[in-house]
Amino acid sequence: MDRIRRNERLAAMTRILVEAPNRIFTLGTFCDMFGAAKSTLSEDIDILRGVFAQFHLGQLDTVTGAAGGVRYRPALAPEEAYNTVKELAQTLAVPGRVLPGGFVYMADILAMPSIVERMGTIIASHFYRAEPDFVLTMETKGIPIAMMTARALGVPMVIVRRDSKVYEGPAVNINYLSGSGSRVETMSLSRRAVHEGQRALIVDDFMRAGGTARGMVDMMREFSVTVVGICVLMATQEPVKKRLDGVKSLLVMDGIDDATGAANIHPASWLSQAAGKA
């Protein structure tokens, strides 16, 4: 094989790392791939780390230990994350998006891969240290953002169903109170989907009182799975007292403007504080 030049190695390594978020690649893997010494590849990684940091392209971390190596973690700078969520808030706050029952129409947003990918990156970057084994969501509108979060974390996505499916085998079914607390609903999860002792990150699209999220937490308890965090794309300001504490949201809906019929939506305070906008 012809000798591979440094610029060629850097281009190839960038593509490989970015296409496999949060996966650890040993230096030996790149040594075999490019026919270069570990010292040379360490210099290459230092160059890439500097470039990623300079242009806010994510994190390039060196992992020490016997199974160590290098991994890429997608991330946005706090200012960029805040501006991204603020733009989304402005899009969702236009008149005509409020639906009966106080919901906001988001189907078109959740169908845009470029938008959902950035939302998933923002959520994932907040939970890297929690090291979840999978991302859990409720069908169906939460699936896109949960999938992009799972991709950034480099873990599987697991879907809780509203009823069991024969093609998923034996399942656990539990009852939970809806967000309004006015009715009892059912959720189902295949016994093969998760395993005892794992760690779950719950991600969903919308939360009012937190009934569905509470149900997913209870479901994980049935499987002896630890919930390391809960994050939703949008939460309502009211009721202030949710069925769960510690839930993160990217957006907050603070009522509806009676004059225009538009929802009052803004970035969550933790994003504002991180960006120095509070």
Side-chain angles (χ1 to χ4, degrees):
M1 186 173 78
D2 294 337
R3 180 177 178 274
I4 300 175
R5 293 174 294 181
R6 168 161 281 176
N7 60 345
E8 294 172 332
R9 283 199 311 272
L10 293 175
M13 288 171 64
T14 299
R15 175 63 184 269
I16 292 168
L17 291 165
V18 170
E19 287 296 308
N22 216 26
R23 174 182 169 185
I24 298 175
F25 290 88
T26 64
L27 288 182
T29 300
F30 290 129
C31 288
D32 295 339
M33 186 179 298
F34 301 118
K38 287 187 177 181
S39 58
T40 301
L41 289 169
S42 294
E43 294 174 0
D44 292 347
I45 291 170
D46 287 339
I47 293 172
L48 289 179
R49 183 183 294 109
V51 172
F52 280 36
Q54 180 180 355
F55 294 99
H56 306 294
L57 302 176
Q59 305 168 202
L60 200 59
D61 300 330
T62 299
V63 182
T64 59
V70 61
R71 68 182 169 202
Y72 167 74
R73 285 178 163 177
L76 300 181
E79 180 86 13
E80 186 179 3
Y82 172 81
N83 289 335
T84 297
V85 175
K86 183 179 179 181
E87 290 176 8
L88 179 58
Q90 293 170 346
T91 300
L92 293 174
V94 298
R97 281 191 174 269
V98 177
L99 302 173
F103 295 97
V104 176
Y105 180 73
M106 296 190 293
D108 56 336
I109 297 298
L110 295 175
M112 292 292 293
S114 59
I115 295 176
V116 180
E117 182 179 18
R118 293 174 75 82
M119 298 301 107
T121 295
I122 294 171
I123 294 174
S125 61
H126 190 73
F127 290 99
Y128 282 135
R129 292 185 179 180
E131 298 184 344
D133 295 303
F134 62 90
V135 173
L136 184 75
T137 193
M138 185 76 177
E139 65 176 1
T140 57
K141 296 191 296 297
I143 292 176
I145 191 167
M147 176 63 80
M148 289 303 184
T149 302
R151 182 184 185 278
L153 289 167
V155 299
M157 179 190 67
V158 176
I159 303 172
V160 177
R161 305 288 185 184
R162 300 192 183 280
D163 51 47
S164 58
K165 305 295 183 182
V166 65
Y167 53 77
E168 292 188 339
V172 173
N173 297 280
I174 68 168
N175 296 326
Y176 69 99
L177 284 175
S178 65
S180 62
S182 60
R183 64 184 186 276
V184 176
E185 299 186 358
T186 302
M187 63 173 62
S188 174
L189 181 62
S190 170
R191 291 187 179 274
R192 302 184 183 187
V194 302
H195 304 287
E196 181 178 341
Q198 287 188 307
R199 298 162 63 82
L201 170 63
I202 294 175
V203 174
D204 210 352
D205 64 314
F206 188 85
M207 186 180 79
R208 178 172 290 163
T212 302
R214 175 80 259 178
M216 286 192 279
V217 170
D218 292 341
M219 177 67 81
M220 291 297 94
R221 188 177 296 114
E222 293 293 323
F223 283 85
S224 298
V225 169
T226 300
V227 175
V228 298
I230 305 172
C231 190
V232 297
L233 177 59
M234 183 188 299
T236 59
Q237 186 71 36
E238 299 291 338
V240 175
K241 182 62 177 177
K242 310 293 186 185
R243 297 186 187 276
L244 285 170
D245 295 326
V247 178
K248 291 283 185 182
S249 69
L250 302 187
L251 296 165
V252 176
M253 186 173 77
D254 186 12
I256 299 172
D257 189 322
D258 294 331
T260 63
N264 299 317
I265 301 173
H266 56 83
S269 59
W270 65 275
L271 286 167
S272 304
Q273 292 168 1
K277 303 292 183 179

